[in-house]
């Protein structure tokens, strides 16, 4: 950062520089872009940032991102309410929805169980999932946690809680490379994994 810039401009460069994948040069370029842009265009960015922090919350039912009490998926009457797909993060919902192969509802855990990082089952929305299965019309739970050690462990733990409730438990087919994530899987692999899902023993 240079002393040649005003404090305000330095602040903007600093903020851009905090974003992932943005180095000092890019931060500088973005800040100058904003400086040169006309006021409405620049302020639209500021407003969009404020809106995501003030308007977006968690769906009351599935914990996906939402601007209302219920997310768009939970509010959609065409969804098959007997199927719930369990994912770690809202970004996984986006990846699965892009395949166009899902007509189910979701449950977003908010992460995976990772005792070494201090994340245990109580930090996730697992109890809310059990509640949904207990009180709802759910027939099948599709586990779509990431195919890595933490994701598999979380999936097994949840299965052990749900199995006594008599619900069928499946998981996405193993076309997904082990150690990978749902977020970065290709659409075609995900679509195959959805269609070829297997009963979790
Ligand atoms: Zn929802």
């Amino acid at each position: 950062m240079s002393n040649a810039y005003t404090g305000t401009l330095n602040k903007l460069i600093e903020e851009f520089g905090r974003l992932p994948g943005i180095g000092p040069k890019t931060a500088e370029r973005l800040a100058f872009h904003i400086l040169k842009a006309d006021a409405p265009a620049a302020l639209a960015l500021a407003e969009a940032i404020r809106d995501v922090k003030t308007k977006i919350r968690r769906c009351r039912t599935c914990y996906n991102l939402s601007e209302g009490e219920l997310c768009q998926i939970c509010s959609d009457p065409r969804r098959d309410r007997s199927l719930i797909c369990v994912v770690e993060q809202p970004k996984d919902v986006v990846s699965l929805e892009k395949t166009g192969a899902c007509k189910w509802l979701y449950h977003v855990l908010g992460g995976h169980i990772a005792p070494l990082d201090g994340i245990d089952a109580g930090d996730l929305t697992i109890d809310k999932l059990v509640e949904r299965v207990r009180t709802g019309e759910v027939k099948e739970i599709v586990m779509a946690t990431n195919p890595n050690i933490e994701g598999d462990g979380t999936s097994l733990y949840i299965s052990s809680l749900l199995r006594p409730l008599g619900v069928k438990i499946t998981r996405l087919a193993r076309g997904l490379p082990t150690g990978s994530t749902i977020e970065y899987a290709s659409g075609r692999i995900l679509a195959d994994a959805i269609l070829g899902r297997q009963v979790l023993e």
Side-chain angles (χ1 to χ4, degrees):
M1 222 154 298
S2 165
N3 290 332
Y5 299 150
T6 69
T8 313
L9 190 54
N10 271 335
K11 176 76 181 145
L12 186 58
I13 295 170
E14 190 186 309
E15 290 301 329
F16 276 127
R18 287 185 212 278
L19 300 175
I22 305 286
K25 283 260 178 261
T26 308
E28 210 172 48
R29 203 165 64 234
L30 288 172
F32 273 96
H33 173 80
I34 294 292
L35 187 65
K36 278 188 279 180
D38 60 6
L43 292 175
L45 173 65
E47 215 154 289
I49 292 171
R50 195 180 42 227
D51 281 354
V52 295
K53 297 313 291 178
T54 54
K55 292 188 179 169
I56 294 188
R57 50 177 157 163
R58 297 296 174 146
C59 169
R60 188 184 53 173
T61 301
C62 74
Y63 296 87
N64 191 14
L65 300 178
S66 178
E67 293 198 15
E69 283 266 290
L70 287 179
C71 72
Q72 287 185 329
I73 294 172
C74 286
S75 318
D76 183 353
R78 291 162 302 179
R79 293 280 168 161
D80 182 349
R81 313 195 97 72
S82 70
L83 269 149
I84 295 179
C85 178
V86 178
V87 298
E88 294 184 22
Q89 300 290 350
K91 276 196 265 185
D92 301 332
V93 174
V94 176
S95 300
L96 289 162
E97 285 295 301
K98 275 188 190 156
T99 67
C102 312
K103 292 290 163 256
W104 49 41
L105 299 178
Y106 290 91
H107 193 87
V108 180
L109 295 171
H112 51 240
I113 300 170
L116 293 179
D117 297 328
I119 307 167
D120 59 34
D123 297 317
L124 308 177
T125 62
I126 296 174
D127 52 339
K128 304 292 193 307
L129 174 64
V130 173
E131 194 63 25
R132 282 179 81 183
V133 173
R134 193 170 274 142
T135 56
E137 50 206 316
V138 186
K139 295 201 177 69
E140 181 181 342
I141 294 290
V142 183
M143 290 294 177
T145 51
N146 288 320
N148 52 34
I149 293 171
E150 294 85 2
D152 284 344
T154 306
S155 162
L156 282 176
Y157 173 75
I158 294 173
S159 305
S160 72
L161 297 179
L162 295 182
R163 195 161 285 118
L165 303 178
V167 68
K168 182 180 175 188
I169 303 169
T170 59
R171 71 174 177 200
L172 296 188
R174 288 286 151 158
L176 293 168
T178 303
S180 66
T181 61
I182 301 284
E183 184 186 348
Y184 295 114
S186 85
R188 201 185 57 76
I189 287 177
L190 270 185
D192 286 349
I194 291 163
L195 291 173
R197 61 185 188 272
Q198 300 148 346
V199 174
L200 196 60
E201 299 298 343

